[in-house]
Amino acid sequence: MVDEAFLELEQSADPKSICRIFDIGRNSEDGIEIGNLTIISHSLARNLRGCDKAVLFCATLGAETDRLIRRASITDMSRAVILQACAAAYLEEYCDEQQRLIGEEMAREERFLRPRFSPGYGDFDIHYQEPVMRMLDCAKQIGLSMTDGYMMTPSKSVTAVIGAGPDRPGCVPEGCESCRKADCPYRR
């Protein structure tokens, strides 16, 4: 069922992403300025320590993926659950690949990336999702919008901030969850 789900997703998904690079400013220990956006988050500030640039990033698998999952939920709930899980994994793989490409571009400027850090992690409030999406013009650029309850549509979508700085952090591309370095200053 998992193999079939991935095949269906490969046929229906229309992955798209967008990013923009901004200078980072700090206005307090927990206050980060990215473009004209001020974010108060100790968790994000810690993740961006040593960074002088921030990449605002959004990605989506597209509306057809939502339709595929919704149709399955009407006829076969176990298939719908498997499609949900596979779509989440597919989106993460797509985001990892896009981040790898962004990292190659930033390496030409002698900058190294931190792991993606999304609104909703730690004390990085989910409400920041709206200005990030607005700054990237997600609705027009990749067809990604948001409900009044801060849910993204299509639902298999991601917003994130990726720090970039001159020092190689030693972070694994898979992020903090897969790293064993318990004393890392960037750990979430």
Side-chain angles (χ1 to χ4, degrees):
M1 285 182 81
V2 171
D3 290 339
E4 289 174 11
F6 275 117
L7 282 174
E8 285 183 88
L9 286 166
E10 287 173 8
Q11 293 170 356
S12 68
D14 183 22
K16 294 179 183 167
S17 67
I18 186 167
C19 70
R20 283 186 61 200
I21 300 167
F22 295 87
D23 290 332
I24 293 177
R26 298 196 185 261
N27 62 11
S28 68
E29 184 178 325
D30 294 343
I32 303 291
E33 294 176 354
I34 300 173
N36 62 357
L37 174 62
T38 299
I39 300 171
I40 306 300
S41 168
H42 179 74
S43 301
L44 180 63
R46 186 178 62 217
N47 182 271
L48 297 178
R49 194 175 301 137
C51 296
D52 58 355
K53 303 277 184 192
V55 180
L56 295 188
F57 174 81
C58 288
T60 184
L61 293 184
E64 191 55 39
T65 299
D66 279 5
R67 281 191 280 278
L68 177 69
I69 294 167
R70 196 168 32 255
R71 281 192 306 267
S73 70
I74 294 168
T75 59
D76 185 348
M77 189 50 85
S78 62
R79 184 169 156 263
V81 169
I82 291 169
L83 280 168
Q84 282 275 6
C86 290
Y90 190 80
L91 178 59
E92 278 301 306
E93 286 179 14
Y94 176 73
C95 290
D96 289 346
E97 176 62 16
Q98 296 308 301
Q99 185 166 345
R100 185 188 64 74
L101 295 172
I102 295 166
E104 288 175 1
E105 180 182 323
M106 295 303 288
R108 288 191 281 274
E109 299 176 24
E110 298 183 5
R111 298 262 176 313
F112 302 95
L113 298 183
R114 302 291 190 276
R116 289 186 301 277
F117 203 91
S118 293
Y121 286 176
D123 66 348
F124 185 18
D125 198 291
I126 193 77
H127 295 97
Y128 287 111
Q129 199 152 258
E130 187 275 327
V132 168
M133 290 174 64
R134 186 173 13 89
M135 290 170 74
L136 293 174
D137 197 14
C138 288
K140 183 177 180 181
Q141 298 297 320
I142 62 172
L144 177 60
S145 59
M146 188 175 58
T147 69
D148 291 339
Y150 299 96
M151 297 297 293
M152 291 182 282
T153 57
S155 65
K156 292 302 175 199
S157 302
V158 167
T159 60
V161 176
I162 307 168
D167 300 321
R168 186 181 303 270
C171 294
V172 295
E174 297 80 18
C176 295
E177 292 80 15
S178 62
C179 182
R180 291 185 170 87
K181 189 173 181 190
D183 63 342
C184 178
Y186 304 109
R187 192 168 189 87
R188 317 188 251 253

